[in-house]
Amino acid sequence: EPEVTQTPSHQVTQMGQEVILRCVPISNHLYFYWYRQILGQKVEFLVSFYNNEISEKSEIFDDQFSVERPDGSNFTLKIRSTKLEDSAMYFCASKRDSGDEQYFGPGTRLTVT
Amino acid sequence: AQKITQTQPGMFVQEKEAVTLDCTYDTSDPSYGLFWYKQPSSGEMIFLIYQGSYDQQNATEGRYSLNFQKARKSANLVISASQLGDSAMYFCAMRASHNQGGKLIFGQGTELSVKP
């Protein structure tokens, strides 16, 4: 069964460094999302992407964040200058054009020191 | 404002018994979708079940069913015949938009422990 994949599974970085989190959505899906979950807290929406552009973003998704779909398969989240409070699990999700379910990847645990 | 509330931080259930996890929601949008996800200790988010606001029947998927009470704005998850592998965090979520591609808003989660 097709699934969303994410790399790396764990990323440790120093404050102020740039990180790129990578996702490969399910191949026939057209909607892509990034969510994050700070340890012990609920899952929060960051950004959605459709038709090669951002369709919605939350107030968390400030100028430090950006997303790209550089080719037909990858979907990336870049954090330009990481802060301690960016430490969280980052989930990529995708959804096909019809249907309602968003399928989540296994997540990337980002630790900012 | 759109909101999801899960009032049970933790629940215990005996193996093979049924358990209900509560979820209430608030939205002024007439069209919305309700979801349940399971998050085991390994961390991934597993989709369990979906209910659309206009669906007449309660959704069912194997041992999972969603008790949808629209007037009460509740969407409780019922797990029948609990198994040890059901021990996990469970999140209720809502897509509060007629846009099928809309974001999900999550509740705080309920941690379910299944006792042998």
Side-chain angles (χ1 to χ4, degrees), chain A residues 2-63:
Chain A
E3 55 186 24
V4 177
T5 59
Q6 290 185 243
T7 54
S9 57
H10 191 188
Q11 172 97 42
V12 181
T13 190
Q14 288 193 326
M15 197 167 53
Q17 295 295 304
E18 175 184 285
V19 293
I20 297 176
L21 310 183
R22 302 180 192 279
C23 168
V24 179
I26 296 173
S27 63
N28 61 344
H29 286 193
L30 299 180
Y31 293 88
F32 313 114
Y33 309 83
W34 283 101
Y35 293 86
R36 80 171 186 191
Q37 184 182 32
I38 294 171
L39 188 64
Q41 298 188 21
K42 66 180 178 182
V43 178
E44 301 173 289
F45 167 77
L46 292 178
V47 66
S48 58
F49 194 87
Y50 175 73
N51 203 22
N52 287 319
E53 60 183 22
I54 290 174
S55 47
E56 188 176 3
K57 59 184 181 179
S58 72
E59 57 191 27
I60 301 169
F61 194 87
D62 61 21
D63 292 344

Side-chain angles (χ1 to χ4, degrees), chain B residues 41-103:
Chain B
S41 56
S42 48
E44 71 267 33
M45 295 285 286
I46 302 167
F47 167 77
L48 295 179
I49 197 166
Y50 168 78
Q51 178 88 41
S53 58
Y54 292 120
D55 293 343
Q56 296 296 314
Q57 307 257 3
N58 285 344
T60 60
E61 288 285 348
R63 294 186 298 111
Y64 304 108
S65 59
L66 200 151
N67 184 1
F68 181 46
Q69 297 189 43
K70 197 169 182 177
R72 294 186 176 184
K73 293 191 174 180
S74 75
N76 298 339
L77 177 70
V78 181
I79 305 175
S80 63
S82 298
Q83 301 171 356
L84 295 178
D86 294 335
S87 293
M89 197 75 167
Y90 288 81
F91 289 97
C92 181
M94 175 172 64
R95 187 202 67 236
S97 168
H98 65 279
N99 173 11
Q100 277 196 329
K103 67 185 180 191

Side-chain angles (χ1 to χ4, degrees), chain B residues 13-34:
Chain B
V13 65
Q14 205 68 37
E15 195 179 7
K16 298 179 186 174
E17 293 188 349
V19 63
T20 298
L21 306 184
D22 294 342
C23 173
T24 58
Y25 60 91
D26 191 18
T27 180
S28 56
D29 198 315
S31 175
Y32 51 90
L34 296 156

Side-chain angles (χ1 to χ4, degrees), chain A residues 63-109:
Chain A
D63 292 344
Q64 293 301 311
F65 291 86
S66 61
V67 289
E68 263 194 342
R69 187 152 163 83
D71 52 42
S73 59
N74 290 284
F75 180 52
T76 62
L77 174 70
K78 183 195 289 187
I79 309 175
R80 260 180 273 282
S81 177
T82 49
K83 306 184 188 74
L84 294 176
E85 54 264 36
D86 293 328
S87 294
M89 181 76 99
Y90 287 79
F91 290 104
C92 173
S94 70
K95 193 187 87 64
R96 62 179 192 266
D97 196 23
S98 62
D100 300 280
E101 301 90 340
Q102 292 184 21
Y103 292 94
F104 281 66
T108 292
R109 179 161 297 286

